[in-house]
Structures are given as C-alpha cells and as structure tokens.
Amino acid sequence: MGAVLSAVAVEKSFVAESRRLDILRGVDLVVKPGALAGIVGASGAGKSTLLHVFGGLDKPTSGTVAVNGENIFSLSDDDRSRFRGKNTGFVFQFHHLLPEFTALENIMIPTMIAKANPTTAREKAEGLLESVGLKDRIHHRPGKLSGGEQQRVAIVRALINDPTLFLADEPTGNLDERTAAEVFTMMAELVKKRQIAGVIVTHNMKLAGLLDAVYELHDGRLNAKA
Ligand SMILES: Nc1ncnc2c1ncn2[C@@H]1O[C@H](COP(=O)(O)OP(=O)(O)O)[C@@H](O)[C@H]1O
Ligand SMILES: [Mg+2]
C-alpha cells in the first residue's frame, strides 16, 4: 500500500539575530496507513518544527513532503490550506479548544470550514464524542472538562474531517500518568481502526509499545531507536 506521509531530505533553517540555525538537516520518513510513528528528542531538537512541516504549516528550506502522493509544498498557500483541512488532523500539547464554545461546537468548527452538511456533521460529531466516552459532556465548555477530556475533544476535532494523516505534538505531555496512558491508547486505537497514518511527538517512552516505530530527532536527523 502507498505511503500516506513521505518526507524526503527535509531541511529547515531559521535565521535569528543574523545567525542561521540549521534545525532539520535531512529528514526522511515514510508512514503508511494504520501505522503510528513516534518521535522523541531533546527540547529544542526541532520536533515541533518537523511536525509543522509534515502538516504543511511551515515550509521547509529544502526537501519534499508528500501526503497521499501530493507534494504539498508545490501547492499554492491557499490550496495547501485546503488540502491540510481535508487531509491532516493536528493535536497539540495544550488542547487549543475555544473556551466560549461547547465540546460539540468546537468539533463542528472544522466541518463548517469544510462546508459540510450541518446535520450530518452534528451527527458525526456526536457519534465521535460518544465513541471516546464523552456522551455526557457534549454541551460542556472546555473549562468544565478535565485535562484528559479536553484532549479527547481535541483528538476528535482533529479527526472530524476524516484526515488520512494524524499529527500530535506532545499530546499527553500535560496529563497525569494514568490519563496520559488512556489518551495515548485511545489515539493508537483510532489510528489503527481508521487506518490513518499517525506521527506522535512524545517523551513518554512507557507508551512506546503502542508505536510501530520510534525515531529520535538528533542533530537535525531522525534515527530509528532500537
Ligand atoms: N520561527 C522560528 N524562528 C527562529 N527559531 C525558531 C523558530 N521556530 C523554532 N525555532 C528554533 O528551532 C529550534 C527547535 O524548536 P522546536 O521545533 O520547537 O523544538 P522542540 O519541539 O523539539 O522542542 C529551537 O531552537 C527554536 O528556538
Ligand atoms: Mg516542541
């Protein structure tokens, strides 16, 4: 089966205070449907930068990133945004849910951006919330949810448009150990069940057993970890 994510020779440099920082120095990664790759690495190694490049949020200095065979950085900025909205789901360490909206409304926002039918979208959002154990929380605002519940909502929001690529940046970094394990397990199950490709940046090596491959980002390159 073809790869969902195929990154080749990705380099990324930043210029800060007239100094050039070479953060990514030739990253290659292939992730197939149903596979979950983990990325570990020191703080400042470039993990978030790499995830942003995979998600089309940040342009690499050189190299290519293909998602479902589409070379995303050969698209115009508008086309790439649209492509990302359809094909990529993102989860961050802090949930980034909108505080004034309920769980259900937060999840429906990406469907509105994608101009989906509101009735169908609502049913789908309710079904997804139910599937992650939040049936009784759909009308709660984020402030009334626990950290684990907030992350579940963020994960459902990332999946509502049926992306083929799921990217999560330290999604359990803010949770206690037990909740982290529950949320991590849930993400791994969703990736398998939906046969999407997942890349998770994590510090939690206890959960590495749930990953199909673990890579360390070091000196701007990904090395497979034994
Ligand atoms: N927009 C930017 N401009 C300049 N430097 C940046 C920018 N974004 C990230 N960096 C630098 O790149 C390095 C990697 O950052 P990041 O990807 O956030 O690392 P990690 O997620 O592994 O902790 C850091 O040194 C950071 O300061
Ligand atoms: Mg980071």
Side-chain angles (χ1 to χ4, degrees):
M1 202 163 354
V4 174
L5 174 69
S6 176
V8 180
V10 170
E11 300 188 5
K12 177 74 182 178
S13 304
F14 293 111
V15 177
E17 289 158 20
S18 71
R19 273 188 59 221
R20 203 181 91 185
L21 297 167
D22 299 320
I23 302 299
L24 303 175
R25 301 164 173 243
V27 169
D28 300 311
L29 183 66
V30 170
V31 188
K32 295 186 171 175
L36 191 56
I39 295 178
V40 300
S43 176
K47 304 180 297 299
S48 295
T49 303
L50 183 59
L51 225 54
H52 289 169
V53 170
F54 288 163
L57 294 168
D58 202 358
K59 282 184 190 168
T61 310
S62 63
T64 58
V65 175
V67 176
N68 303 323
E70 182 81 61
N71 183 348
I72 59 173
F73 295 105
S74 66
L75 298 172
S76 69
D77 289 354
D78 283 352
D79 285 347
R80 189 167 55 257
S81 285
R82 262 191 297 278
F83 184 86
R84 182 173 64 235
K86 270 195 210 133
N87 294 281
T88 309
F90 250 107
V91 176
F92 302 92
Q93 178 171 1
F94 300 100
H95 54 75
H96 294 299
L97 297 169
L98 299 173
E100 299 303 319
F101 292 91
T102 66
L104 183 66
E105 288 163 349
N106 265 282
I107 290 168
M108 288 189 66
I109 291 167
T111 71
M112 293 174 195
I113 295 168
K115 299 189 172 67
N117 174 297
T119 311
T120 320
R122 188 190 164 106
E123 281 167 12
K124 191 169 165 189
E126 287 174 349
L128 268 169
L129 280 168
E130 196 173 334
S131 77
V132 297
L134 295 176
K135 188 180 184 350
D136 301 329
R137 303 279 187 283
I138 64 174
H139 300 304
H140 285 48
R141 289 186 185 179
K144 294 278 160 69
L145 298 172
S146 70
E149 288 168 346
Q150 289 169 349
Q151 273 314 50
R152 282 168 200 257
V153 174
I155 291 162
V156 168
R157 179 181 55 180
L159 297 175
I160 188 76
N161 285 338
D162 297 318
T164 46
L165 177 62
F166 174 79
L167 302 171
D169 194 356
E170 305 195 34
T172 62
N174 201 28
L175 304 176
D176 65 71
E177 195 173 332
R178 192 174 134 202
T179 310
E182 285 170 5
V183 169
F184 208 102
T185 304
M186 193 197 91
M187 277 186 300
E189 284 171 0
L190 285 166
V191 164
K192 297 286 161 203
K193 196 171 100 192
R194 297 168 150 255
Q195 286 293 296
I196 56 187
V199 182
I200 300 190
V201 170
T202 185
H203 287 293
N204 199 332
M205 287 309 289
K206 281 190 189 154
L207 298 167
L210 294 165
L211 300 165
D212 297 291
V214 183
Y215 302 90
E216 181 170 15
L217 184 60
H218 182 71
D219 283 344
R221 291 194 182 84
L222 281 184
N223 304 302
K225 258 179 96 82

